[in-house]
Amino acid sequence: MTERARAADELLDIVDEHDRVVGQRPRGEVYAERLRHRSTSIRVRDARGRLFVHRRTPTKLIFPGMYDVVVGGVVGAGEDYDTAALREAEEELGVQGLAMPERRTRFLFETPEYSWFLAVYEVVCTLPVRPQAEEVEWWDFLAEEELERRLAGWERDGLVVPDGLECHRRLSAL
């Protein structure tokens, strides 16, 4: 089974406009039917304060091959935001023993294609990073000035993950 097929079969909680669970469905159906669900995003800094940035693999179910300024992913059925944030950060960074990410904000992310509540976190990672090859095609830690320079081009060319960009903007405004 491919990563894409496994991801499409993952069971997610469906939530109402108040973020209360109202059912469960496989992720593939959730995306196809634009059902509201839960997700996490974690902005990661290294010990020098640089931000983790990566390019998603072309096999990702959504936003394949795009640049992202956060790590994270969907909250599984029955899982809470905090548990999902730590799990997703450790998985995507390829580390174990990461400090618990600190929750900064939560908002509803909606586009014509997608709808999810997004809990946004920050964490400092001092561990050696080994991102999952099936999730991350390229990665680096960038100084904020360099990230902003690159983001301008990525956004202009439609190459940046939209919810990650929104998380970055909201965190920068805090």
Side-chain angles (χ1 to χ4, degrees):
M1 180 179 284
T2 68
E3 179 211 346
R4 224 179 159 101
R6 279 191 305 275
D9 289 339
E10 181 180 7
L11 198 60
L12 305 182
D13 286 334
I14 306 305
V15 297
D16 66 13
E17 66 276 8
H18 303 290
D19 198 13
R20 294 181 300 225
V21 176
V22 296
Q24 295 179 336
R25 299 280 288 280
R27 189 195 317 202
E29 292 177 22
V30 167
Y31 290 155
E33 298 175 32
R34 195 182 179 268
L35 300 173
R36 189 177 298 120
H37 58 286
R38 294 173 171 164
S39 191
T40 64
S41 287
I42 306 94
R43 179 160 70 176
V44 179
R45 292 184 186 272
D46 68 5
R48 293 175 32 199
R50 298 175 303 172
L51 296 164
F52 182 81
V53 181
H54 66 284
R55 185 169 187 170
R56 297 163 62 88
T57 59
T59 58
K60 295 295 289 178
L61 196 58
I62 62 169
F63 310 129
M66 295 178 82
Y67 292 95
D68 206 347
V69 294
V70 294
V71 298
V74 295
V75 177
E79 190 175 33
D80 64 66
Y81 283 114
D82 291 348
T83 302
L86 180 59
R87 175 183 53 76
E88 286 287 346
E90 287 187 334
E91 283 177 8
E92 288 195 31
L93 295 170
V95 302
Q96 289 187 337
L98 188 66
M100 182 66 206
E102 294 182 36
R103 191 188 298 198
R104 297 293 189 214
T105 190
R106 183 178 66 93
F107 64 94
L108 179 61
F109 176 78
E110 289 193 294
T111 70
E113 301 84 16
Y114 306 109
S115 177
W116 54 75
F117 277 98
L118 193 53
V120 185
Y121 297 77
E122 288 187 289
V123 71
V124 173
C125 180
T126 58
L127 303 165
V129 173
R130 293 179 200 85
Q132 287 181 314
E134 54 275 2
E135 301 255 346
V136 176
E137 184 174 74
W138 166 89
W139 66 275
D140 201 355
F141 281 97
L142 301 177
E144 288 189 52
E145 303 77 30
E146 176 63 14
L147 174 59
E148 293 303 326
R149 186 185 69 72
R150 291 188 190 196
L151 272 176
W154 293 340
E155 187 176 6
R156 180 192 64 237
D157 296 337
L159 296 175
V160 64
V161 174
D163 68 328
L165 182 60
E166 182 62 21
C167 290
H168 176 70
R169 288 182 174 145
R170 288 176 183 242
L171 288 169
S172 296
L174 291 178

mmCIF file of all heavy atoms in Angstrom, residues 3 24 47-48 91 126 130 138 150-151:
data_model
loop_
_atom_site.group_PDB
_atom_site.id
_atom_site.type_symbol
_atom_site.label_atom_id
_atom_site.label_comp_id
_atom_site.label_asym_id
_atom_site.label_seq_id
_atom_site.Cartn_x
_atom_site.Cartn_y
_atom_site.Cartn_z
ATOM 1 N N GLU A 3 1.979 5.319 0.487
ATOM 2 C CA GLU A 3 1.765 6.291 1.560
ATOM 3 C C GLU A 3 0.468 7.043 1.337
ATOM 4 O O GLU A 3 -0.297 7.296 2.262
ATOM 5 C CB GLU A 3 2.932 7.276 1.621
ATOM 6 C CG GLU A 3 2.739 8.315 2.714
ATOM 7 C CD GLU A 3 3.350 9.660 2.431
ATOM 8 O OE1 GLU A 3 4.161 9.780 1.513
ATOM 9 O OE2 GLU A 3 2.989 10.596 3.145
ATOM 10 N N GLN A 24 -16.932 10.443 12.510
ATOM 11 C CA GLN A 24 -15.603 10.036 12.059
ATOM 12 C C GLN A 24 -15.691 9.548 10.622
ATOM 13 O O GLN A 24 -16.677 8.904 10.246
ATOM 14 C CB GLN A 24 -15.041 8.924 12.944
ATOM 15 C CG GLN A 24 -14.791 9.363 14.366
ATOM 16 C CD GLN A 24 -14.264 8.245 15.236
ATOM 17 O OE1 GLN A 24 -14.475 7.069 14.964
ATOM 18 N NE2 GLN A 24 -13.578 8.608 16.303
ATOM 19 N N ALA A 47 18.405 25.792 18.064
ATOM 20 C CA ALA A 47 18.988 26.492 19.213
ATOM 21 C C ALA A 47 19.455 27.903 18.853
ATOM 22 O O ALA A 47 19.546 28.765 19.729
ATOM 23 C CB ALA A 47 20.156 25.681 19.777
ATOM 24 N N ARG A 48 19.713 28.150 17.579
ATOM 25 C CA ARG A 48 20.155 29.480 17.130
ATOM 26 C C ARG A 48 18.983 30.371 16.732
ATOM 27 O O ARG A 48 19.188 31.495 16.279
ATOM 28 C CB ARG A 48 21.133 29.333 15.967
ATOM 29 C CG ARG A 48 22.434 28.686 16.405
ATOM 30 C CD ARG A 48 23.416 28.384 15.298
ATOM 31 N NE ARG A 48 23.429 29.289 14.177
ATOM 32 C CZ ARG A 48 23.944 28.983 12.989
ATOM 33 N NH1 ARG A 48 24.509 27.807 12.794
ATOM 34 N NH2 ARG A 48 23.911 29.856 12.004
ATOM 35 N N GLU A 91 7.514 12.915 14.390
ATOM 36 C CA GLU A 91 7.508 12.129 13.149
ATOM 37 C C GLU A 91 8.177 12.882 12.012
ATOM 38 O O GLU A 91 9.055 12.360 11.332
ATOM 39 C CB GLU A 91 6.075 11.776 12.735
ATOM 40 C CG GLU A 91 5.442 10.662 13.514
ATOM 41 C CD GLU A 91 3.995 10.405 13.093
ATOM 42 O OE1 GLU A 91 3.526 10.990 12.084
ATOM 43 O OE2 GLU A 91 3.322 9.625 13.784
ATOM 44 N N THR A 126 16.571 20.987 19.733
ATOM 45 C CA THR A 126 18.029 20.955 19.820
ATOM 46 C C THR A 126 18.568 19.571 19.463
ATOM 47 O O THR A 126 19.769 19.342 19.524
ATOM 48 C CB THR A 126 18.494 21.349 21.235
ATOM 49 O OG1 THR A 126 17.902 20.455 22.180
ATOM 50 C CG2 THR A 126 18.102 22.787 21.565
ATOM 51 N N ARG A 130 16.272 14.430 11.519
ATOM 52 C CA ARG A 130 16.340 13.460 10.411
ATOM 53 C C ARG A 130 14.943 13.315 9.825
ATOM 54 O O ARG A 130 14.248 12.330 10.105
ATOM 55 C CB ARG A 130 16.825 12.103 10.910
ATOM 56 C CG ARG A 130 18.258 12.096 11.379
ATOM 57 C CD ARG A 130 18.653 10.707 11.895
ATOM 58 N NE ARG A 130 19.809 10.781 12.745
ATOM 59 C CZ ARG A 130 19.795 11.053 14.054
ATOM 60 N NH1 ARG A 130 18.662 11.262 14.668
ATOM 61 N NH2 ARG A 130 20.911 11.097 14.749
ATOM 62 N N TRP A 138 13.101 18.102 0.907
ATOM 63 C CA TRP A 138 14.230 19.004 1.177
ATOM 64 C C TRP A 138 13.924 19.734 2.474
ATOM 65 O O TRP A 138 12.759 19.972 2.797
ATOM 66 C CB TRP A 138 14.371 20.013 0.040
ATOM 67 C CG TRP A 138 15.266 21.176 0.376
ATOM 68 C CD1 TRP A 138 16.610 21.248 0.183
ATOM 69 C CD2 TRP A 138 14.880 22.422 0.988
ATOM 70 N NE1 TRP A 138 17.093 22.467 0.638
ATOM 71 C CE2 TRP A 138 16.031 23.200 1.135
ATOM 72 C CE3 TRP A 138 13.675 22.942 1.438
ATOM 73 C CZ2 TRP A 138 16.029 24.466 1.703
ATOM 74 C CZ3 TRP A 138 13.656 24.204 2.013
ATOM 75 C CH2 TRP A 138 14.824 24.956 2.126
ATOM 76 N N ARG A 150 12.719 34.216 0.765
ATOM 77 C CA ARG A 150 12.272 33.061 -0.021
ATOM 78 C C ARG A 150 10.753 32.978 -0.094
ATOM 79 O O ARG A 150 10.199 32.608 -1.127
ATOM 80 C CB ARG A 150 12.845 31.771 0.551
ATOM 81 C CG ARG A 150 14.347 31.660 0.368
ATOM 82 C CD ARG A 150 14.834 30.308 0.774
ATOM 83 N NE ARG A 150 16.284 30.256 0.838
ATOM 84 C CZ ARG A 150 16.972 29.131 0.875
ATOM 85 N NH1 ARG A 150 16.351 27.965 0.856
ATOM 86 N NH2 ARG A 150 18.282 29.152 0.941
ATOM 87 N N LEU A 151 10.090 33.294 1.014
ATOM 88 C CA LEU A 151 8.625 33.220 1.029
ATOM 89 C C LEU A 151 7.997 34.113 -0.028
ATOM 90 O O LEU A 151 6.984 33.746 -0.625
ATOM 91 C CB LEU A 151 8.079 33.620 2.404
ATOM 92 C CG LEU A 151 7.945 32.522 3.425
ATOM 93 C CD1 LEU A 151 7.478 33.096 4.761
ATOM 94 C CD2 LEU A 151 7.024 31.418 2.965
#
